[in-house]
Amino acid sequence: MSDAKNAILSGKTALGIEFGSTRIKAVLTGEDNAPIASGSHEWENRYVDGIWTYTLEDIWGGLQDCYAKLAEDVKNQYGITLETVGVIGFSAMMHGYMAFNEAGELLVPFRTWRNTITGEASEKLTELFQYNIPQRWSIAHLYQAILNGEEHVKAISFQTTLAGYIHWQLSGEKVLGVGEASGMFPIDSATKDFNQKMVEQFDELVAPKGYPWKLRDIFPKVLVAGENAGTLTEEGAKLLDPSGNLKAGIPMCPPEGDAGTGMAATNSVAVRTGNVSAGTSVFAMVVLEKELSKVYPELDMVTTPDGSPVAMVHCNNCTSDLNAWVNLFKEFAEAFGVDVDMNKLFGTLYNKALEGDADCGGLLAYNYFSGEPITGFEEGRPLFARTPDSHFNLANFMRVHLFTSLGALKSGMDLLIKDEGVKLDRMLGHGGLFKTKGVGQGIMAAAINTPVSVMETAGEGGAWGIALLASYMVNKEEGETLDAYLVDKVFAGNEGSRMEPDEKDVEGFEKFMERYKAGLAIEHAAVESLN
């Protein structure tokens, strides 16, 4: 307690604030990089005129409330008023579109990553660059606005992301961390900057429109982790803390995206490592030794906060169907008058899956609540199927629903591991699927035939991740890499609990995947027939 208090009073802290899709979270860390205070604010996106958005009032009101709650937590715990911190970092959900005119006014409402209104632009740019440009990327939003002939495009003076916007307003600097920038436009990992050849291709593509800008005129400057990204201005301090207690002049690190902060928070920025986040949706990020040999529409290419190439497999569906079945068993138990503890129920049913046949006894399930681009679905229908001679029991039933929650992810990971020969030393798992000790972890290890570790700290999330990136900027030694800083100064010996893949389970998962791929026709029929 006294160490934390001294760190706050002497300004030897790091403050990380991340804008997630449903929550803005602030984490203050002490000299050992462990969290010492936090605050949060719940928020929701709005669907206005066919666009998923948050208003500027949502953004600033939410940020101020989140910071006020952090300051209140400091006051309650340590009896002191928060007046300064050692360094600040901002992070947010990646991608999307925020375009401003010369006067700094937002030209059209913020278009978030969630919008799927850029299909034509995404397709044409992927073809032009020979590089996968997903619909949610900022460049796809810009080009779609051009294709739509939107009036505002000629007035653009600056285009950035949510994290870049907040950083600019608080520091006056139009910059982005390289990981966040990699969700705006492709990055060249050699220069750790926007890919110059592709920048020129884009400028040439839109030249006939006669806009008064070229891409680099309106895009932010790219920085890597550890570089100075400016300081909190007087105006910025008042914006963040209207009470006036917070002083200006605090150094700020490059703003990063939630993918990069997730890598930092799970100690997975080194090559041949990766992390997988498995909850309602599931995504895996793998740090590559070199670029991939060709374009895969199923794989997004981003970077670590220090600019190494990262392949990302993103799936829309993971545990929603599994949770729905667990709730059905809860109803069944309650019908018998049994009072159900949900943690115990999840634990019991998940562990039951370990007793099942390696390949789930011939059962088949699809967890598609929504579309799944990796397997070619625009809509989904949750589905369970079996043959008359399948081995149908509770253990196999639970096992197949755990397997299928990673089915689409495995399809993408197989492209990396089997087709591209990517080597992985370990994956780090975090999210709801890994809460029951050893179950989700073991199944993930079997799915990707790679050791999977789970750490206690993984739950701290992206706000802690950006606080670590901020701390790295001010506390690193000469020549110390981000990977070395995380290993030595943050995680120091905390490898978490590690599980090696079980050979029988690996074989079982491969057999299940044969059935999964062959059965996709059943899922297609369900989408067509069940409206």
Side-chain angles (χ1 to χ4, degrees):
M1 184 68 91
S2 65
D3 285 353
K5 191 171 179 175
N6 290 338
I8 295 166
L9 290 170
S10 58
K12 289 185 176 165
T13 51
L15 171 59
I17 300 181
E18 181 160 280
F19 286 70
S21 50
T22 58
R23 188 167 66 141
I24 305 168
K25 186 173 181 189
V27 168
L28 189 68
T29 60
E31 287 185 84
D32 61 354
N33 289 304
I36 55 175
S38 65
S40 68
H41 170 86
E42 306 290 320
W43 74 335
E44 269 300 337
N45 54 189
R46 304 155 184 261
Y47 193 60
V48 184
D49 299 328
I51 302 282
W52 288 106
T53 188
Y54 300 86
T55 65
L56 294 182
E57 291 73 22
D58 292 338
I59 293 167
W60 294 109
L63 177 59
Q64 289 164 356
D65 182 53
C66 176
Y67 179 83
K69 285 178 177 153
L70 170 89
E72 189 185 333
D73 190 33
V74 168
K75 185 86 172 162
N76 290 342
Q77 282 196 74
Y78 309 105
I80 44 184
T81 300
L82 190 59
E83 293 181 355
T84 191
V85 295
V87 60
I88 304 180
F90 285 92
S91 165
M93 47 197 154
M94 289 169 72
H95 320 296
Y97 184 71
M98 295 191 90
F100 301 87
N101 64 14
E102 194 64 48
E105 296 159 336
L106 189 65
L107 289 163
V108 288
F110 169 33
R111 297 170 183 176
T112 76
W113 63 273
R114 194 174 175 185
N115 290 289
T116 49
I117 51 177
T118 62
E120 186 188 357
S122 157
E123 214 169 286
K124 287 183 170 167
L125 291 175
T126 297
E127 180 62 33
L128 175 71
F129 297 149
Q130 284 303 292
Y131 191 102
N132 186 27
I133 304 293
Q135 285 205 44
R136 59 186 185 277
W137 281 27
S138 307
I139 191 64
H141 280 279
L142 174 63
Y143 189 46
Q144 192 64 51
I146 291 169
L147 291 172
N148 295 347
E150 294 185 40
E151 265 302 296
H152 78 270
V153 176
K154 61 178 181 291
I156 297 175
S157 165
F158 180 45
Q159 185 195 337
T160 190
T161 62
L162 178 56
Y165 165 64
I166 290 154
H167 185 94
W168 167 44
Q169 294 297 300
L170 298 184
S171 69
E173 301 289 337
K174 295 177 174 178
V175 298
L176 268 194
V178 65
E180 173 76 335
S182 71
M184 279 194 85
F185 192 88
I187 294 288
D188 176 346
S189 279
T191 62
K192 303 196 189 314
D193 193 4
F194 295 124
N195 184 301
Q196 186 54 30
K197 181 188 166 202
M198 295 179 195
V199 167
E200 287 162 14
Q201 285 176 305
F202 185 82
D203 285 339
E204 203 179 301
L205 175 69
V206 303
K209 301 281 184 188
Y211 296 125
W213 50 259
K214 287 200 160 156
L215 198 63
R216 282 193 183 271
D217 301 334
I218 63 170
F219 263 26
K221 183 184 174 197
V222 180
L223 300 176
V224 296
E227 287 190 280
N228 192 302
T231 55
L232 183 68
T233 60
E234 292 285 352
E235 302 77 23
K238 288 190 182 72
L239 250 181
L240 182 54
D241 181 18
S243 76
N245 291 324
L246 187 66
K247 296 186 170 76
I250 299 166
M252 293 177 70
C253 77
E256 260 303 344
D258 49 2
T261 59
M263 290 179 225
T266 53
N267 191 21
S268 42
V269 299
V271 294
R272 296 171 66 116
T273 65
N275 76 88
V276 60
S277 172
T280 307
S281 64
V282 59
F283 64 86
M285 290 182 285
V286 176
V287 187
L288 306 174
E289 292 174 279
K290 60 181 195 305
E291 300 282 348
L292 299 178
S293 67
K294 63 175 195 180
V295 180
Y296 293 91
E298 302 88 349
L299 303 174
D300 295 357
M301 293 301 297
V302 291
T303 77
T304 61
D306 54 356
S308 298
V310 173
M312 183 174 180
V313 183
H314 186 280
C315 308
N316 292 340
N317 302 283
C318 185
T319 58
S320 295
D321 194 38
L322 188 55
N323 294 345
W325 283 108
V326 172
N327 281 322
L328 188 77
F329 288 117
K330 173 180 178 262
E331 272 191 57
F332 171 76
E334 285 173 346
F336 275 89
V338 177
D339 197 14
V340 179
D341 174 310
M342 286 310 282
N343 285 334
K344 192 175 177 192
L345 181 62
F346 269 102
T348 304
L349 290 171
Y350 272 39
N351 276 298
K352 193 74 189 163
L354 301 181
E355 299 169 20
D357 299 314
D359 72 339
C360 309
L363 307 185
L364 179 62
Y366 293 100
N367 61 335
Y368 295 3
F369 261 62
S370 64
E372 195 53 85
I374 283 194
T375 47
F377 286 84
E378 285 183 17
E379 288 180 62
R381 301 287 182 271
L383 187 69
F384 171 68
R386 62 190 175 105
T387 60
D389 58 351
S390 298
H391 189 195
F392 183 44
N393 60 20
L394 181 60
N396 282 332
F397 184 81
M398 287 313 299
R399 191 174 179 90
V400 79
H401 283 94
L402 280 159
F403 271 34
T404 202
S405 66
L406 300 176
L409 182 81
K410 179 165 169 60
S411 303
M413 289 296 290
D414 280 353
L415 294 175
L416 285 174
I417 295 167
K418 294 179 181 175
D419 298 15
E420 285 284 329
V422 167
K423 298 283 183 283
L424 258 177
D425 296 332
R426 67 161 195 157
M427 282 292 270
L428 204 125
H430 50 113
L433 185 72
F434 301 103
K435 275 186 180 160
T436 300
K437 198 171 166 53
V439 181
Q441 188 179 359
I443 285 168
M444 178 65 75
I448 57 176
N449 197 11
T450 300
V452 174
S453 299
V454 174
M455 283 186 205
E456 296 297 318
T457 52
E460 296 291 355
W464 184 53
I466 189 68
L468 297 180
L469 293 172
S471 168
Y472 170 66
M473 185 186 92
V474 294
N475 296 316
K476 68 182 185 303
E477 287 164 32
E478 187 67 40
E480 187 174 26
T481 63
L482 176 61
D483 175 38
Y485 183 81
L486 291 173
V487 169
D488 300 337
K489 311 273 170 63
V490 180
F491 293 94
N494 175 17
E495 283 294 304
S497 65
R498 178 178 162 115
M499 275 185 89
E500 300 290 329
D502 177 287
E503 213 174 301
K504 277 202 192 102
D505 287 345
V506 172
E507 279 173 33
F509 214 118
E510 291 297 338
K511 273 179 82 175
F512 164 75
M513 283 306 289
E514 285 170 23
R515 196 180 316 128
Y516 183 93
K517 286 171 186 167
L520 287 169
I522 308 168
E523 176 67 18
H524 277 293
V527 171
E528 280 166 32
S529 313
L530 290 172
N531 286 313

